[in-house]
Amino acid sequence: QVQLVESGGGLVQTGESLRLSCAASGSIGSIGAMGWYRQAPGKQRETVGTITSDGNTNYVDSVKGRFTISRDNAKKTVYLQMSSLKPEDTGVYYCHGNIKPSGYWSWRMYWGQGTQVTVSS
């Protein structure tokens, strides 16, 4: 059973920083691209950014220059460093990973349970 578990959410003020972590565990064969989505209250889930297995990243325009995604393949962990946070960054942040479980030949997308980020003005 493969699981993704996020941590690091919380309440911060405008302009502050926060780092989210997402650790994959279980019977994992390979991990491909990983990334983060977020869902603000009353809005659809949107992509924050992704990182490939070799470290190439891309981001939604609204977070470019403020957010950085990185990964530690040895720890099977992806990070989201968020700086200069704004109230509109408030939402539930979900990590995802394209993972091939041990003993399987196909890849599957796995999701974390989400972590709340609240930015007060």
Side-chain angles (χ1 to χ4, degrees), residues 35 73 75 84 100:
N73 291 331
K75 294 182 179 180
S84 302
K100 186 162 62 176

Side-chain angles (χ1 to χ4, degrees), residues 4 30-35 71 96-100 106-110:
L4 295 179
S30 301
I31 302 178
M34 302 185 77
R71 63 191 286 168
H96 64 90
N98 196 26
I99 296 173
K100 186 162 62 176
S106 62
W107 295 79
R108 289 186 57 191
M109 185 64 73
Y110 291 86

Side-chain angles (χ1 to χ4, degrees), residues 47-75:
T47 300
V48 174
T50 59
I51 184 167
T52 64
S53 57
D54 55 1
N56 293 314
T57 56
N58 62 73
Y59 304 92
V60 66
D61 285 346
S62 60
V63 307
K64 284 181 180 177
R66 299 188 299 122
F67 289 13
T68 301
I69 297 175
S70 61
R71 63 191 286 168
D72 185 330
N73 291 331
K75 294 182 179 180

Side-chain angles (χ1 to χ4, degrees), residues 1-4 24-28 99 101-102 104 108 110:
Q1 185 78 3
V2 174
Q3 286 187 316
L4 295 179
S25 63
S27 298
I28 296 171
I99 296 173
S102 295
Y104 286 76
R108 289 186 57 191
Y110 291 86

